[in-house]
């Protein structure tokens, strides 16, 4: 994987640089409720502005499906972005954009209107690519989270303008390369979450890549069922038992050790601190019980596995972590991984919406080597897919 970075961009003084960012932030009552994505833009936008470029931020917001509207306008993000950047940010709409860009002072930053106000954006339409390209001299892609889509602003532009990875994109690609591209071995993967069906391709890809595959969460139940365990009322995709078996066989052939829980935390109701809570061996789950977390003995053994590893990729919580005490396995294993990362013996990369929430809940997100907030793009990367927005930078 080779790509150019801002180190290669050369003199940008007075040049217009189109920078694809992810400004798709959650909002409530006109306020940004989580500015993580805005903070991720700071390194690239300030570096280019400081180099004297006219910085033009390209991004989508929501799903306007080619229809301009107030609701999906990026105008409302100019001020929050300015606040995060600590410098002024202007807004440019799709009428009169050419003149507005020409009038910008070198070193200034402007947000262009929602790229998805053009229906051709999501179709990677050459006319839309040209429309965007006519505004800039260079293209910088800083939005890994949008790189799994071949859209005009994420892929098309990279083919018509000199293209570079922004600093956030660069950091993400380097971290992912270290985790699965050319990792230090042994490598462990933790895959959890609710269902096998949403992560089949992830599991299939990982068995050929990692030395230890740790399966937790609801999806472990399907694997346990495939091995003949009666999982009672647990969330379980019985129709995928054959697929689970196939994955276990492939792991065997590839020399990948699969770790399934042997003790579990169960209850009769899906609720926090239920009266029927108990811990038992996987073979002792009653017909009216459901497995909601990995048990403490298994967690301890998994911690010992991590101690023998140099690299860890993690997607998906080990249990129904939103309800106590079913967060215990996720929290304990996350703390072990964090401690190993902190002492320098483990490179740890984690991603996924609920995974990031769970690691924050465990208070250890900051100790992981890298946390990806990319969601869909992170999962496609875990599936071993080539992301079009990344490929176009090569
Ligand atoms: P991510 O967003 O990190 O990719 P997922 O969306 O795949 O993760 O999975 C997270 C969900 O899985 C959580 O809502 C969690 O409650 C659920 N989950 C984990 N273990 C279980 C279980 N044993 N039974 C039911 N749901 C579970
Ligand atoms: Mg999720």
């Amino acid at each position: 994987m080779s790509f150019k970075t801002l180190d290669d961009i050369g003199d940008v003084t007075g040049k217009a640089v189109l920078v694809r960012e992810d400004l798709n932030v959650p909002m409530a009552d006109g306020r940004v409720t989580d500015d993580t994505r805005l903070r991720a833009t700071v390194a690239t936008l300030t570096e280019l502005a400081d180099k004297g470029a006219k910085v033009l931020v390209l991004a989508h917001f929501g799903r306007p499906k080619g229809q301009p509207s107030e609701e999906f306008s990026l105008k409302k993000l100019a001020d929050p972005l300015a606040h995060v950047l600590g410098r002024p940010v202007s807004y440019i709409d799709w009428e009169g954009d050419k003149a507005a860009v020409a009038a910008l002072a070198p070193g200034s930053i402007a947000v262009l209107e929602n790229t998805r106000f053009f229906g051709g954006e999501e179709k990677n339409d050459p006319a839309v690519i040209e429309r965007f390209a006519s505004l800039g001299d260079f293209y910088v892609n800083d939005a890994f989270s949008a790189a799994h889509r071949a859209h005009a602003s994420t892929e098309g532009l990279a083919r018509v303008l000199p293209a570079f990875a922004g600093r956030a994109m660069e950091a993400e690609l380097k971290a992912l390369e270290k985790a699965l591209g050319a990792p230090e071995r042994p490598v462990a993967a933790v895959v959890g979450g609710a269902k096998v069906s949403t992560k089949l391709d992830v599991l299939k890809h990982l068995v050929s890549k990692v030395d230890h595959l740790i399966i937790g969460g609801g999806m472990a139940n399907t694997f346990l069922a495939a091995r003949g365990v009666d999982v009672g009322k647990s969330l379980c995709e019985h129709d995928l038992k054959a697929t689970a078996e196939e994955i276990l066989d492939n792991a065997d052939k590839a020399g990948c050790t699969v770790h399934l829980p042997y003790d579990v935390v169960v209850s009769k109701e899906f609720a926090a601190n239920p009266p029927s809570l108990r811990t038992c061996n996987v073979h002792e789950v009653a017909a009216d019980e459901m497995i909601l977390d990995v048990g403490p003995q298994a967690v301890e053994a998994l911690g010992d596995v991590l101690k023998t590893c140099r690299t860890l990729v993690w997607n998906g919580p080990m249990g129904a972590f939103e309800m106590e005490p079913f967060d215990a396995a996720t929290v304990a294993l996350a703390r072990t991984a964090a401690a190993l990362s902190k002492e320098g013996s483990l490179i740890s990369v984690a991603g996924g919406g609920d995974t990031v929430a769970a690691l924050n809940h465990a208070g250890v997100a900051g100790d992981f080597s890298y946390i990806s907030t990319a969601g869909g793009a992170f999962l496609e990367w875990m599936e071993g897919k080539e992301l079009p927005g990344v490929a176009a930078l090569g």
Side-chain angles (χ1 to χ4, degrees):
M1 182 187 58
S2 79
F3 53 89
K4 293 196 177 108
T5 71
L6 294 187
D7 295 330
D8 307 302
I9 200 166
D11 186 10
V12 291
T13 317
K15 304 278 192 206
V17 183
L18 290 159
V19 185
R20 181 59 158 94
E21 292 286 3
D22 183 352
L23 302 184
N24 205 23
V25 291
M27 296 190 78
D29 303 324
R31 286 178 175 276
V32 175
T33 53
D34 178 351
D35 68 359
T36 308
R37 285 175 167 166
L38 301 186
R39 284 185 279 113
T41 72
V42 173
T44 296
L45 299 184
T46 54
E47 179 174 340
L48 287 168
D50 290 344
K51 283 180 172 165
K54 299 178 177 187
V55 183
L56 306 173
V57 181
L58 271 177
H60 75 276
F61 186 71
R63 297 177 186 277
K65 304 212 166 100
Q67 290 305 314
S69 69
E70 200 58 35
E71 185 189 356
F72 294 117
S73 174
L74 274 173
K75 188 177 186 179
K76 59 183 161 295
L77 279 170
D79 282 347
L81 184 59
H83 179 74
V84 169
L85 291 170
R87 53 179 87 190
V89 173
S90 54
Y91 155 80
I92 295 175
D93 69 22
W94 292 127
E95 280 152 41
D97 45 311
K98 262 219 145 99
V101 171
L104 278 181
S108 57
I109 300 172
V111 180
L112 297 171
E113 184 52 284
N114 195 337
T115 53
R116 290 189 183 171
F117 282 3
F118 295 100
E121 152 78 338
E122 292 180 76
K123 298 189 185 90
N124 211 359
D125 179 348
V128 175
I129 297 169
E130 266 320 306
R131 179 78 167 68
F132 296 155
S134 69
L135 296 173
D137 304 292
F138 298 98
Y139 170 68
V140 171
N141 192 347
D142 205 27
F144 177 82
S145 57
H148 57 315
R149 306 275 179 250
H151 294 171
S153 70
T154 63
E155 197 271 348
L157 273 177
R159 290 185 280 107
V160 301
L161 288 178
F164 306 86
R167 294 301 183 198
M169 172 73 95
E170 180 187 350
E172 180 111 21
L173 293 179
K174 284 185 175 161
L176 298 187
E177 178 68 12
K178 263 195 200 163
L180 279 188
E184 284 185 43
R185 294 195 173 271
V187 186
V190 171
V191 183
K195 289 181 171 182
V196 174
S197 53
T198 59
K199 293 183 185 172
L200 270 182
D201 291 337
V202 171
L203 293 162
K204 283 181 185 162
H205 177 62
L206 287 178
V207 294
S208 68
K209 284 273 175 184
V210 306
D211 306 292
H212 295 277
L213 177 60
I214 295 169
I215 302 178
M219 68 175 60
N221 304 336
T222 303
F223 283 88
L224 290 170
R227 286 200 167 162
V229 172
D230 186 348
V231 296
K233 262 198 340 180
S234 303
L235 178 65
C236 179
E237 292 168 288
H238 290 281
D239 54 325
L240 285 176
K241 281 195 288 196
T243 311
E245 259 177 279
E246 206 178 294
I247 291 170
L248 293 173
D249 280 351
N250 288 341
D252 229 25
K253 285 182 200 135
C256 165
T257 309
V258 178
H259 302 265
L260 289 170
Y262 46 81
D263 61 335
V264 285
V265 183
V266 300
S267 88
K268 290 182 180 160
E269 49 282 291
F270 193 77
N273 301 305
S276 59
L277 179 77
R278 70 182 189 110
T279 299
C280 66
N281 182 281
V282 287
H283 295 287
E284 294 163 1
V285 178
D288 59 350
E289 287 179 320
M290 58 193 136
I291 301 171
L292 290 172
D293 200 13
V294 172
Q297 285 183 43
V299 171
E300 200 173 320
L302 294 175
D304 289 339
V305 171
L306 293 190
K307 284 175 194 147
T308 69
C309 291
R310 300 284 294 155
T311 304
L312 166 69
V313 280
W314 186 328
N315 171 262
M318 302 296 282
F321 76 100
E322 299 94 335
M323 298 180 300
E324 280 188 18
F326 307 111
D327 58 339
T330 306
V331 169
L333 198 61
R335 289 195 176 144
T336 301
L340 294 169
S341 309
K342 228 172 153 178
E343 65 187 54
S345 71
L346 189 71
I347 294 164
S348 52
V349 173
D354 292 294
T355 309
V356 177
L359 296 182
N360 281 327
H361 167 72
V364 297
D367 291 332
F368 270 60
S369 313
Y370 190 80
I371 301 270
S372 173
T373 55
F378 181 81
L379 269 186
E380 288 201 20
W381 166 78
M382 275 190 87
E383 291 168 359
K385 292 197 179 130
E386 181 168 70
L387 310 185
V390 174
L393 292 175

